[in-house]
């Protein structure tokens, strides 16, 4: 494959097609042994040669590089006492919180992501694989695990658990707990059809008046604060975690702006949301039902120094739809419905402006990814017109402020 100029250096290709640098040698007993240096895409030829020189020097001094690496790996395991999926997973999540979960991590994983991943880990991975040694997991074992999840729970759960296991295994490789090729690489999870549910005007009206406090739905206890968070999500078209975590310090009432910092957005990009008069009205109503002073518009009833969790919004929405037998509707459908109305014939906003309102990473136009690097225009006038227009249309849909209209 290449003229390595170093005796013993070769490029090994696995049945899966993965190319790795290896060093072959004979130990004192005359047994041929092999040491993995790293994958072709991760280790340059120059670095592979450098490591081979070091290994050859070790062999010349009666050393055994493979044995040395195995000893070091066992020492790492003993030092941390972590070999099982459960133990390594716990360590991995601790490092995620510290921002040390991968070499190029720019920051700790966001809290919402960690909460979601630990939920899947504790609910699905731990009971089945938690006591297994991570290094003993095979591709077939993990494939059977995610297949079972997809069949008995959901494709989403299977996909999430595969991603989590892939991250844990990659972390374990960097900690010298295992030198196996990541078995999750070729594990497949059945794709699911993209969701395209758009709520009807009748459904929007039902949701609006059902969740207008005081909420009175038999068998579906929903607090006024959480109800207002759903209505505000409907009006602003922002993500549930962004809405439930809204802080007064993020709001500029004079300019009618909501300033979301990068650490609070999905794409870690600062986002400015123009607030319509209806949005400001809902914020004031939410503030009027708080039980304690807080910087948060929707403070947690248990700790006013923290906001309610996005799951509170989702649970309230689920309770409402089940009590009213509204079928398969979800909170995220509110964003899709608003976006669909904005690009519809009546309002006629471009998809690019709608993508700016929704804070998507890029629009679908040619060169969008490149343009976004240089274009720091917030498109505030266009976004304000869009969200003001959506608020007015929503008021018309739900009855212009009167349930009987």
């Amino acid at each position: 494959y290449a003229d390595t100029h170093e005796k013993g250096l070769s490029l090994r290709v696995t049945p899966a097609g993965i190319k790795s640098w290896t060093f072959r040698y004979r130990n004192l007993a005359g047994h041929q042994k092999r040491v993995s240096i790293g994958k072709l895409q991760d280790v340059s030829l120059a670095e592979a040669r450098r490591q081979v020189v070091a290994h050859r020097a070790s062999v010349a001094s009666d050393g055994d590089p493979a044995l040395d690496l195995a000893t070091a790996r066992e020492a790492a395991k003993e030092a941390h006492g972590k070999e099982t999926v459960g133990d390594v997973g716990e360590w991995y999540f601790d490092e995620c919180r510290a921002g040390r979960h991968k070499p190029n991590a720019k920051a700790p994983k966001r809290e919402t992501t960690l909460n979601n991943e630990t939920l899947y880990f504790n609910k699905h991975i731990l009971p089945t694989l938690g006591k297994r040694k991570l290094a003993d997991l095979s591709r077939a074992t993990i494939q059977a695990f995610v297949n079972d999840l997809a069949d008995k729970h959901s494709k989403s759960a299977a996909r999430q658990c595969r991603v989590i296991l892939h991250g844990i295994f990659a972390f374990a490789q960097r900690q010298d707990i295992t030198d196996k090729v990541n078995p999750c690489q070729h594990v497949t999870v059945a794709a699911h059809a993209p969701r395209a549910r758009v709520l009807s005007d009748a459904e929007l009206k039902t949701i609006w008046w059902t969740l207008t406090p005081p909420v009175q739905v038999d068998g579906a206890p929903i607090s006024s604060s959480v109800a207002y968070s759903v209505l505000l999500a409907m009006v602003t078209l922002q993500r549930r975690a962004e809405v439930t975590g809204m802080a007064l310090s993020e709001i500029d009432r004079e300019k009618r702006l909501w300033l979301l910092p990068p650490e609070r957005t999905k794409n870690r990009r600062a986002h400015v949301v123009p607030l319509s008069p209806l949005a400001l009205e809902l914020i004031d109503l939410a503030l009027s039902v708080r039980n304690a002073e807080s910087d948060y518009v929707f403070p947690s009833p248990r700790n006013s120094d923290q906001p309610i969790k996005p799951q509170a919004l989702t649970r309230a929405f689920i309770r409402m739809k089940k009590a009213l037998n509204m079928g398969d509707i979800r909170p995220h459908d509110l964003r899709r419905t608003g976006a669909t109305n904005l690009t519809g014939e009546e309002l006629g906003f471009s998809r690019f402006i709608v993508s700016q309102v929704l804070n998507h990473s890029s629009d679908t136009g040619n060169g969008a990814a490149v343009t976004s690097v240089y274009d720091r225009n917030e498109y505030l006038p266009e976004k304000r017109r869009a969200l003001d227009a959506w608020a007015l249309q929503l008021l018309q849909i739900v009855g212009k402020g009167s349930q009987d209209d």
Side-chain angles (χ1 to χ4, degrees):
Y1 184 85
D3 183 10
T4 65
H5 303 295
E6 294 297 341
K7 184 178 179 181
L9 177 62
S10 63
L11 195 63
R12 179 172 176 250
V13 183
T14 69
I18 298 173
K19 300 184 177 76
S20 299
W21 296 112
T22 62
F23 170 60
R24 293 182 180 181
Y25 67 99
R26 290 188 181 276
N27 62 10
L28 284 174
H31 298 146
Q32 188 174 54
K33 304 186 76 173
R34 180 170 54 201
V35 174
S36 176
I37 294 176
K39 297 178 186 176
L40 179 63
Q41 66 266 31
D42 297 331
V43 179
S44 67
L45 176 58
E47 173 60 19
R49 287 173 176 166
R50 187 193 67 77
Q51 292 193 36
V52 165
V53 170
H55 288 324
R56 288 178 63 193
S58 174
V59 172
S61 301
D62 296 335
D64 190 334
L67 179 60
D68 293 342
L69 287 174
T71 302
R73 191 174 296 115
E74 290 301 318
K77 290 178 184 177
E78 185 177 349
H80 296 289
K82 304 179 190 302
E83 291 185 82
T84 66
V85 173
D87 289 339
V88 178
E90 183 180 349
W91 184 17
Y92 167 72
F93 286 123
D94 286 342
E95 295 299 281
C96 287
R97 294 182 182 91
R100 297 188 297 261
H101 53 294
K102 56 183 180 180
N104 59 343
K106 297 180 180 178
K109 277 196 177 185
R110 66 179 72 244
E111 184 179 357
T112 52
T113 301
L114 273 171
N115 289 341
N116 187 55
E117 289 188 352
T118 52
L119 177 66
Y120 280 104
F121 181 78
N122 292 331
K123 183 177 181 180
H124 298 299
I125 297 175
L126 268 184
T128 305
L129 302 175
K131 294 182 180 180
R132 298 279 298 273
K133 285 188 177 182
L134 187 76
D136 292 343
L137 292 185
S138 65
R139 188 206 64 80
T141 299
I142 299 173
Q143 184 68 68
F145 168 69
V146 298
N147 287 349
D148 190 59
L149 273 181
D151 293 340
K152 295 182 179 178
H153 295 277
S154 68
K155 294 177 182 177
S156 176
R159 187 165 43 256
Q160 289 287 341
C161 287
R162 179 208 172 274
V163 170
I164 294 167
L165 284 169
H166 190 285
I168 292 173
F169 208 100
F171 173 75
Q173 289 175 319
R174 291 190 293 274
Q175 302 302 324
D176 286 330
I177 292 174
T178 178
D179 60 353
K180 287 175 55 177
V181 172
N182 194 326
C184 300
Q185 286 183 341
H186 299 289
V187 170
T188 58
V189 180
H192 69 290
R195 188 170 173 82
R197 182 73 156 84
V198 174
L199 302 175
S200 67
D201 287 358
E203 288 172 325
L204 288 174
K205 187 172 183 177
T206 297
I207 294 170
W208 183 271
W209 290 114
T210 299
L211 295 180
T212 296
V215 181
Q216 297 176 337
V217 181
D218 292 340
I222 300 172
S223 71
S224 295
S225 181
V226 174
Y228 280 129
S229 74
V230 178
L231 298 183
L232 190 61
M234 185 186 298
V235 173
T236 63
L237 304 182
Q238 303 310 302
R239 297 179 177 89
R240 58 174 193 155
E242 295 164 356
V243 173
T244 57
M246 176 185 276
L248 291 174
S249 56
E250 297 173 349
I251 299 173
D252 186 330
R253 297 186 71 91
E254 183 179 348
K255 295 181 179 179
R256 287 201 296 133
L257 295 175
W258 176 17
L259 312 171
L260 277 160
E263 60 271 17
R264 286 250 294 118
T265 64
K266 183 178 180 180
N267 56 20
R268 294 193 179 275
R269 186 177 67 183
H271 183 39
V272 181
V273 183
L275 294 170
S276 64
L278 180 57
L280 284 172
E281 178 184 343
L282 289 171
I283 291 171
D284 287 338
L285 288 169
L287 293 175
S288 71
V289 299
R290 295 188 306 175
N291 294 323
E293 290 296 320
S294 173
D295 184 43
Y296 294 104
V297 176
F298 307 103
S300 167
R302 297 181 180 84
N303 181 3
S304 60
D305 291 332
Q306 296 292 328
I308 61 173
K309 294 187 179 298
Q311 291 84 349
L313 184 155
T314 301
R315 286 193 292 267
F317 200 88
I318 292 173
R319 286 196 292 269
M320 175 203 68
K321 76 171 185 179
K322 286 184 176 178
L324 301 180
N325 195 26
M326 295 186 71
D328 183 22
I329 62 173
R330 305 175 191 177
H332 197 76
D333 296 341
L334 298 173
R335 272 169 63 86
R336 187 181 305 104
T337 301
T340 301
N341 277 270
L342 282 173
T343 58
E345 185 176 2
E346 184 174 346
L347 298 182
F349 288 91
S350 70
R351 286 186 175 182
F352 175 78
I353 294 304
V354 174
S355 77
Q356 297 298 310
V357 169
L358 300 178
N359 196 24
H360 286 161
S361 295
S362 68
D363 65 277
T364 56
N366 293 333
V370 175
T371 303
S372 65
V373 175
Y374 300 98
D375 190 355
R376 296 308 181 195
N377 185 354
E378 290 290 350
Y379 296 95
L380 278 176
E382 295 89 344
K383 290 196 294 186
R384 188 178 297 282
R385 284 194 292 271
L387 284 171
D388 283 354
W390 166 238
L392 289 174
Q393 186 180 57
L394 188 57
L395 284 175
Q396 291 177 353
I397 290 171
V398 303
K400 295 184 178 180
S402 171
Q403 189 172 5
D404 300 324
D405 287 352

